């Protein structure tokens, strides 16, 4: 079970949002590279980056900060990145920059043909971020709920060849209210590709609950606000996950 620190980038700084609202942001660090190195030194095995400005603009905005993170990590662990990725040229540039996995979110839902092309062009490096509330997929920075059922859409994308699904329960993200285990397990059981849980991780109990169901196909969880505000000790969380997963 991977405990994956989230670094959300806005105007070159590391921030956290509440409920996906750009105006509800809190700056945690003005040095993204140092923040990334901090999580690696604490035992992180993967990083999750989001270009928040990019997600709203529909194009990369924080590429300088992203490059500084890649430079600081130095290839020690994989980095996954989402936010504003709408074309193959952007994906290629990020992969050339040293990003391991690119996450396509809104564009996957609105333009599945693009996702299909991306999976073909960059096999094993394309993930899909599905944000859902009450089983329905949301797009455009969570501002619009669609009629798409999250499991049906995930199955379709699995057939395209996506590497994994990042599943966010947007009713819980950034609110420190616990993971929606039931919905995450239901999605993982319907797929053969891995699922990464996102949204709501608050404390070690949440880590235990996820480890209990990891055999269903849940390989990790992304955590942000909890590790920045101190309700979750990141190093202890990864150690616990390793212990419960039978790893040293």
């Amino acid at each position: 079970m991977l405990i994956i620190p989230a670094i959300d980038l806005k105007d070159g700084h590391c921030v956290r949002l509440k409920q996906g609202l750009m105006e509800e942001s809190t700056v945690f660090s003005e040095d993204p590279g140092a923040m990334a190195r901090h999580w690696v030194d604490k035992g992180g095995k993967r990083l999750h980056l989001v270009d928040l400005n990019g997600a709203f603009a529909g194009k990369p905005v924080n590429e300088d900060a992203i490059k500084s993170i890649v430079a600081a990590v130095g290839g020690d662990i994989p980095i996954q990145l989402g936010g504003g990725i709408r074309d193959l040229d952007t994906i290629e540039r990020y992969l050339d920059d040293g990003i391991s996995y690119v996450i396509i979110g809104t564009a996957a839902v609105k333009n599945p043909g693009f996702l299909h092309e991306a999976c073909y062009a960059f096999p094993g490096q394309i993930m899909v971020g599905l944000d859902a509330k009450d089983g329905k997929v949301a797009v455009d920075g969570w501002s619009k709920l669609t009629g798409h059922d999250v499991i049906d859409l995930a199955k379709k994308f699995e057939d395209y060849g996506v590497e994994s699904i990042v599943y966010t329960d947007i009713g819980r993200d950034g609110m420190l209210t616990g993971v929606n285990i039931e919905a995450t397990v239901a999605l993982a059981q319907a797929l053969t590709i891995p699922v990464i849980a996102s949204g709501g991780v608050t404390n070690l109990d949440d880590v235990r609950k996820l480890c209990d169901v990891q055999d269903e196909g849940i390989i990790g969880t992304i955590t942000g606000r909890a590790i920045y505000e101190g309700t979750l000790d990141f190093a202890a969380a990864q150690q616990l996950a390793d212990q419960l997963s039978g790893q040293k």
Side-chain angles (χ1 to χ4, degrees):
M1 177 67 64
L2 297 169
I3 311 299
I4 307 171
I7 298 178
D8 290 356
L9 299 167
K10 179 186 178 189
D11 306 329
H13 301 150
C14 304
V15 305
R16 289 301 292 161
L17 305 186
K18 277 189 179 178
Q19 296 282 282
L21 299 172
M22 285 290 268
E23 61 271 20
E24 291 284 333
S25 66
T26 304
V27 175
F28 284 102
S29 171
E30 297 186 359
D31 188 341
M35 182 58 69
R37 191 69 237 174
H38 170 77
W39 297 126
V40 175
D41 292 342
K42 289 283 187 180
K45 300 179 181 182
R46 187 184 292 203
L47 291 177
H48 176 80
L49 311 186
V50 181
D51 180 349
L52 290 171
N53 302 101
F56 285 84
K59 61 184 180 181
V61 176
N62 285 289
E63 195 165 2
D64 287 344
I66 291 161
K67 285 181 177 178
S68 76
I69 288 171
V70 172
V73 171
D76 290 350
I77 62 171
I79 301 173
Q80 59 192 47
L81 166 70
I85 297 164
R86 304 283 191 269
D87 59 67
L88 297 180
D89 288 344
T90 299
I91 295 173
E92 186 170 26
R93 196 165 77 244
Y94 276 142
L95 295 177
D96 287 345
D97 286 345
I99 295 298
S100 310
Y101 304 101
V102 167
I103 304 166
I104 301 174
T106 292
V109 181
K110 289 188 165 183
N111 186 3
F114 161 59
L115 176 65
H116 202 277
E117 290 176 358
C119 290
Y120 181 78
F122 309 103
Q125 294 184 289
I126 305 299
M127 303 165 68
V128 167
L130 287 179
D131 306 327
K133 187 174 184 180
D134 301 326
K136 299 300 180 184
V137 174
V139 294
D140 294 333
W142 305 351
S143 61
K144 298 175 187 170
L145 271 181
T146 70
H148 293 295
D149 179 85
V150 68
I151 290 177
D152 290 346
L153 208 53
K155 283 182 172 179
K156 177 180 172 183
F157 295 159
E158 178 179 46
D159 291 341
Y160 287 1
V162 303
E163 194 274 335
S164 53
I165 301 286
V166 177
Y167 174 65
T168 305
D169 181 331
I170 63 175
R172 301 190 184 214
D173 186 78
M175 302 304 289
L176 304 178
T177 52
V179 181
N180 190 334
I181 297 285
E182 186 179 354
T184 307
V185 167
L187 179 61
Q189 287 176 336
L191 303 172
T192 58
I193 56 173
V195 171
I196 295 174
S198 174
V201 172
T202 309
N203 52 41
L204 290 177
D205 282 343
D206 292 320
V207 175
R208 289 188 185 92
K209 289 173 185 173
L210 281 165
C211 286
D212 285 344
V213 295
Q214 64 184 342
D215 290 344
E216 303 292 350
I218 301 166
I219 63 163
T221 182
I222 295 164
T223 179
R225 184 169 287 273
I227 56 174
Y228 291 108
E229 295 195 350
T231 65
L232 181 70
D233 180 314
F234 171 73
Q238 186 60 69
Q239 288 168 7
L240 176 63
D242 289 346
Q243 180 185 342
L244 294 176
S245 303
Q247 299 175 2
K248 293 183 179 179

